[in-house]
């Protein structure tokens, strides 16, 4: 079974804080993704990575950055958290080529006060 | 780039009835179309997928159909049960490393 583990289920932060969301996978998948999920807006892609130290912007990268120093770990960073970044954040992982099946983490519900 | 439209955004059916959710895509290069189910408070999970060389695929009460000419694909759930209540997402992607493009989701409610 694929395991995609997000470090926190719930997080409360203050405006202006630097926030780290961590995601770890155990299946040696090359591709990792960060989404945010808001009611009525579906799953919006923030950043993704095809390989270690590699990153690509998704549809809504503003206000976020990412880090992938090791293949199994993909971190999402909010440099200066704002209230409009209150959301559910989902990490996902997928094999390169092959079956294309994507697996999601359980999500982190972030509240920025 | 790819754009996926999903309809309806909400759907209510009586238990035992069928439910159909439709998606259209824009990029003719897309060739993999998965459907994800997200129950309340849980992560999205793959329930069925179809590739472009197949027109229909079934797994017990769920089926997906694909019309490549018209660029649309649909999820069919027969004999719905209360545990089918969830948000369903369709997605499309080509065979490379490009990210899945998701529809905005359909909230299905099955009324007992």
């Amino acid at each position: 079974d694929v395991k995609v583990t997000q470090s926190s289920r719930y997080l409360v932060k203050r405006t202006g804080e630097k926030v780290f969301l961590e995601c770890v996978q155990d299946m040696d998948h090359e591709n990792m993704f960060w989404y945010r999920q808001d009611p009525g807006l579906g799953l919006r892609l923030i950043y993704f990575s095809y390989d270690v130290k590699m990153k690509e912007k998704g549809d809504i990268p503003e206000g976020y950055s990412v880090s992938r120093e090791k293949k199994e770990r993909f971190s999402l960073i909010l440099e200066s958290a704002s209230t409009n970044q209150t959301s559910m954040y989902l990490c996902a992982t997928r094999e390169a080529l092959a079956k294309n099946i994507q697996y999601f983490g359980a999500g982190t519900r972030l509240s920025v006060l | 780039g790819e754009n996926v439209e999903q309809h309806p955004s909400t759907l209510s059916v009586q238990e035992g009835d069928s439910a159909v959710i439709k998606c259209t895509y824009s990029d003719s290069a897309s060739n993999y179309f998965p459907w994800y189910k997200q129950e309340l408070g849980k992560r999205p999970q793959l329930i069925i997928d179809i590739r472009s060389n197949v027109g229909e695929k079934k797994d017990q009460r769920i089926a997906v159909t694909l019309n490549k000419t018209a660029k649309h694909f649909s999820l069919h759930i027969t004999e719905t049960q209360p545990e089918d209540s969830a948000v369903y997402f369709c997605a499309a992607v080509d065979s490379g490393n490009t990210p899945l493009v998701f529809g905005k989701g359909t909230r299905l409610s099955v009324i007992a």
Side-chain angles (χ1 to χ4, degrees):
Chain A
D1 253 5
V2 175
K3 254 197 181 162
V4 184
T5 304
Q6 293 184 231
S7 52
S8 306
R9 283 289 274 145
Y10 300 95
L11 215 48
V12 179
K13 295 292 181 181
R14 297 278 179 201
T15 304
E17 277 192 80
K18 190 168 186 175
V19 182
F20 293 86
L21 303 183
E22 307 284 347
C23 177
V24 177
Q25 51 110 349
D26 69 350
M27 284 302 291
D28 203 38
H29 287 173
E30 292 82 0
N31 300 327
M32 296 189 76
F33 308 88
W34 276 106
Y35 296 87
R36 68 177 277 178
Q37 183 174 21
D38 301 287
L41 298 179
L43 299 164
R44 293 184 291 166
L45 182 65
I46 305 171
Y47 266 97
F48 59 103
S49 170
Y50 294 144
D51 205 347
V52 176
K53 296 198 189 292
M54 177 271 172
K55 60 186 178 185
E56 294 279 349
K57 291 180 180 179
D59 300 317
I60 52 164
E62 297 78 19
Y64 303 95
S65 63
V66 289
S67 172
R68 194 163 180 202
E69 296 296 320
K70 293 185 177 181
K71 191 174 186 180
E72 67 271 18
R73 186 180 297 269
F74 192 35
S75 303
L76 180 69
I77 303 157
L78 287 66
E79 296 290 342
S80 177
S82 64
T83 54
N84 63 12
Q85 293 178 309
T86 292
S87 187
M88 170 67 84
Y89 290 88
L90 288 162
C91 173
T93 180
R94 189 169 106 222
E95 287 181 272
L97 307 171
K99 293 184 177 180
N100 269 320
I101 297 175
Q102 186 158 307
Y103 301 90
F104 285 87
T108 296
R109 183 163 294 284
L110 173 67
S111 297
V112 183
L113 307 178
Chain B
E2 177 64 275
N3 181 50
V4 176
E5 301 278 344
Q6 182 172 347
H7 298 280
S9 55
T10 60
L11 179 61
S12 289
V13 298
Q14 292 289 328
E15 184 178 357
D17 286 352
S18 295
V20 181
I21 303 170
K22 298 183 179 182
C23 290
T24 60
Y25 62 99
S26 60
D27 188 351
S28 56
S30 289
N31 59 11
Y32 174 66
F33 307 93
W35 286 88
Y36 284 81
K37 175 184 180 183
Q38 186 179 28
E39 296 177 39
L40 191 63
K42 303 240 176 115
R43 71 190 76 193
Q45 293 202 296
L46 179 73
I47 54 170
I48 195 167
D49 55 13
I50 192 167
R51 298 184 188 273
S52 59
N53 57 349
V54 175
E56 182 175 1
K57 184 176 177 181
K58 271 187 179 177
D59 183 4
Q60 299 183 334
R61 296 186 297 107
I62 60 173
V64 57
T65 58
L66 172 65
N67 183 327
K68 283 219 77 180
T69 305
K71 294 204 201 107
H72 66 72
F73 56 112
S74 300
L75 177 72
H76 304 253
I77 307 173
T78 57
E79 299 171 22
T80 53
Q81 299 168 5
E83 52 265 37
D84 295 327
S85 296
V87 177
Y88 292 81
F89 293 98
C90 64
V93 71
D94 65 20
S95 58
N97 276 332
T98 51
L100 291 174
V101 178
F102 285 90
K104 285 187 165 47
T106 297
R107 181 174 298 280
L108 172 65
S109 300
V110 180
I111 303 159

